[in-house]
Amino acid sequence: MDMKVNFTETVLRDANQSLVATRMPFSDFEDILPVLDKAGYYSLECWGGATFDSCLRYLNEDPWERLKKIRKSCPNTKLQMLLRGQNLVGYKHYPDDIVRMFVKKSVENGIDIIRIFDALNDIKNIEVAVDETIKSGAVASGAICYTISPIHNLESYVKLAKQMKEIGVNTICLKDMAGILSPKEAYDIVKALKESVNLPIIVHTHNTTGLGYMALLSAVEAGADIIDTAISAYSGGTSQPATETLSYALLELGYDASLDGGALDKIGDFFKEIRLRDFNSGLLNPTVLSTDAKALVYQIPGGMLSNLVSQLSSVNRMDLYEEVLKETPIVRKELGYPPLVTPMSQMVGAQAVANTITGKRYSSVSNEIKSYLKGEYGTPPGEIDEKFRKSILGNEPQINGRYADGLSPAYDKIKSEIGDRAKSPEDILSYALFPEQALSFFDYRDSKEKRVYNYSFAPVKS
Ligand code: CO
């Protein structure tokens, strides 16, 4: 019997993203990297997701340089990133040549494992990224977005896992971004996945509703091979359950869940100091560390509920809150039950608010919802009523197949557009994904280089 349980440490990516809005600069964790490298993790989730955008937009950091530096300080641990399928680490669908180049460069610069998902669980939107990951020699992990709806069930998750296996993924991750995965569901789904696809199973959840520890324990009992956890100082609440705690509990239960205790202790102490500073500056708001069970009552993610509240209070219509909560599942049903994750959670929520405030359903429809109904985001998980679709789109044509099939190759065009402002293919990719942010980062970098240059010549002159 294989009783080994492996850990993916999320402090540098998901914990960072969930607790401090991805504002942790490289300099915060630089000194602890050699210790993280010795802890015995299966992998260190350290890149992708929102970190790429945040480096360029808020931290004046080159995301590629960050990756290279982590690689250098962690030669012994697998480095992992999160990739939103055809959206990469951005917010729209990119042409295949950009997807392939981005994956290739990620692996070249140090990534060992790429976890790939699509917000609609549409296999077409992860195929190219999975293919290129395998070609580049990295591990492709297919992630299933967990959600609660009348059409999402054991069979649908197993079906998706089998499709993923067919396109060649090396591992399967059950990804619960909202923290609503219960111990029973975790057990049943992991068991079904273990029985139907012979691949390592990973479970990813958040402790938002307090279910996280129980869900991970149940998942391990059902045979999960790897669990995602965060070092205690950055664990809990909207982040992952704590690494040390899970390791302790599982060891006691007889699982081989050992990590280097001394290393974990040092990592925990190190991040406690950073957490204290983030508390004091207000970057880390204590509310995100508390337990919010509302998501269980309404079966929609906590982040979406707070969005609804802020949209309604901004127009002084909090009196409509209960009505909007009733409207939300109806809109979601009409849209074919998309998982309530970015960007669908925002789109469904805004439509429910609009429908309620105007009192005339779909009298105002966002461009995003129109694109979604045209099929630009992929195939919705459930059926959409044809009459409903027509009432919004009229006779506008539907996209058959994959949206990215209609996108022309863009890399060479972007390369000549940016010219010598880009110093490397990595710069070209930064610009392809976040043009404005990349350009202002290049400006910053150039001015910094000049400063260093002047300084180094100063002593010669004197
Ligand atoms: Co997550």
Side-chain angles (χ1 to χ4, degrees):
M1 188 167 62
D2 187 9
M3 300 270 280
K4 175 80 183 159
V5 180
N6 281 296
F7 291 81
T8 291
E9 172 61 53
T10 65
V11 65
L12 303 183
R13 205 288 298 176
D14 206 354
N16 168 15
Q17 189 170 326
S18 302
L19 297 184
V20 291
T22 336
R23 303 297 160 80
M24 200 187 277
F26 176 77
S27 55
D28 266 11
F29 57 80
E30 180 174 13
D31 293 345
I32 201 67
L33 287 172
V35 189
L36 282 163
D37 193 39
K38 281 198 306 216
Y41 298 122
Y42 162 75
S43 67
L44 194 53
E45 194 199 31
C46 61
W47 210 65
T51 64
F52 195 96
D53 183 0
S54 182
C55 275
L56 290 170
R57 194 184 299 262
Y58 303 114
L59 300 171
N60 266 330
E61 265 187 56
D62 184 342
W64 301 99
E65 285 302 316
R66 174 186 283 212
L67 173 56
K68 278 188 242 180
K69 286 189 256 175
I70 298 174
R71 176 77 287 169
K72 213 173 158 205
S73 297
C74 298
N76 304 305
T77 306
K78 289 196 182 83
L79 301 185
Q80 184 173 317
M81 72 173 289
L82 181 68
L83 195 86
R84 298 191 271 263
Q86 206 71 25
N87 300 345
L88 298 173
V89 293
Y91 306 106
K92 58 174 199 178
H93 282 239
Y94 296 99
D96 290 343
D97 66 330
I98 301 284
V99 172
R100 289 190 183 276
M101 190 62 142
F102 192 89
V103 167
K104 214 174 107 180
K105 286 291 161 191
S106 302
V107 176
E108 262 179 41
N109 284 292
I111 288 294
D112 300 292
I113 302 169
I114 308 189
R115 179 180 291 170
I116 305 163
F117 77 99
D118 173 66
L120 296 179
N121 282 329
D122 184 345
I123 194 92
K124 296 192 297 294
N125 289 339
I126 70 166
E127 257 169 4
V128 173
V130 166
D131 183 62
E132 192 61 38
T133 301
I134 296 165
K135 280 187 182 142
S136 304
V139 170
S141 187
I144 297 170
C145 292
Y146 175 76
T147 189
I148 299 175
S149 92
I151 61 156
H152 290 87
N153 49 40
L154 271 189
E155 291 70 41
S156 69
Y157 293 129
V158 165
K159 189 177 154 207
L160 181 57
K162 284 182 175 164
Q163 288 176 335
M164 284 179 172
K165 190 177 177 174
E166 246 166 67
I167 63 166
V169 303
N170 308 101
T171 62
I172 302 261
C173 171
L174 178 62
K175 179 175 162 65
D176 168 29
M177 37 276 267
I180 51 173
L181 178 68
S182 70
K184 181 181 186 305
E185 285 273 276
Y187 188 91
D188 291 348
I189 297 172
V190 169
K191 191 138 194 77
L193 292 177
K194 284 301 280 187
E195 281 163 6
S196 53
V197 288
N198 187 25
L199 290 174
I201 303 296
I202 303 152
V203 178
H204 174 92
T205 187
H206 292 252
N207 208 40
T208 321
T209 64
L211 289 173
Y213 289 90
M214 294 180 279
L216 290 186
L217 178 57
S218 280
V220 168
E221 286 170 345
D225 302 271
I226 300 152
I227 53 174
D228 283 14
T229 58
I231 199 74
S232 53
Y234 273 78
S235 72
T238 56
S239 176
Q240 275 71 51
T243 308
E244 299 96 310
T245 314
L246 260 309
S247 170
Y248 180 93
L250 291 171
L251 277 169
E252 201 190 49
L253 286 168
Y255 293 94
D256 176 6
S258 56
L259 291 165
D260 183 329
L264 290 190
D265 205 35
K266 275 191 201 146
I267 300 163
D269 285 345
F270 180 90
F271 279 105
K272 250 184 216 163
E273 303 258 321
I274 313 233
R275 180 179 65 176
L276 182 63
R277 188 205 59 198
D278 288 350
F279 269 139
N280 291 336
S281 74
L283 177 62
L284 177 51
N285 181 337
T287 338
V288 298
L289 290 172
S290 61
T291 306
D292 185 355
K294 273 245 162 64
L296 298 175
V297 179
Y298 299 108
Q299 305 211 322
I300 56 178
M304 191 173 159
L305 283 171
S306 44
N307 266 340
L308 295 178
V309 170
S310 76
Q311 284 179 44
L312 285 173
S313 17
S314 73
V315 290
N316 269 323
R317 287 313 302 269
M318 265 312 282
D319 57 304
L320 294 175
Y321 187 57
E322 291 298 323
E323 243 180 281
V324 169
L325 286 177
K326 277 187 217 130
E327 175 67 8
T328 304
I330 302 172
V331 171
R332 189 181 179 212
K333 183 179 179 205
E334 285 160 334
L335 295 178
Y337 295 110
L340 293 176
V341 299
T342 305
M344 292 315 302
S345 48
Q346 291 87 338
M347 285 156 59
V348 170
Q351 191 61 52
V353 169
N355 286 359
T356 311
I357 288 182
T358 59
K360 213 179 151 217
R361 308 189 70 237
Y362 299 98
S363 56
S364 151
V365 179
S366 67
N367 287 332
E368 286 83 6
I369 294 269
K370 285 180 190 160
S371 306
Y372 170 84
L373 288 171
K374 274 186 229 164
E376 290 183 9
Y377 288 75
T379 308
E383 292 293 316
I384 295 177
D385 181 62
E386 218 23 66
K387 252 207 293 197
F388 168 74
R389 202 197 311 258
K390 276 226 157 106
S391 74
I392 289 168
L393 294 181
N395 284 323
E396 278 194 72
Q398 278 281 133
I399 287 162
N400 285 315
R402 205 175 60 112
Y403 179 61
D405 283 338
L407 302 173
S408 319
Y411 186 80
D412 290 336
K413 204 180 126 231
I414 291 169
K415 185 181 174 183
S416 61
E417 183 182 304
I418 187 172
D420 59 10
R421 293 298 316 273
K423 310 261 185 282
S424 61
E426 285 81 354
D427 279 355
I428 296 170
L429 288 167
S430 297
Y431 177 73
L433 268 62
F434 299 100
E436 218 177 288
Q437 290 73 27
L439 284 179
S440 60
F441 170 73
F442 297 156
D443 285 342
Y444 166 83
R445 187 175 60 185
D446 292 348
S447 69
K448 201 173 142 208
E449 262 165 29
K450 266 185 215 127
R451 285 201 301 277
V452 172
Y453 180 82
N454 290 340
Y455 174 78
S456 62
F457 274 83
V460 182
K461 270 189 182 173
S462 60

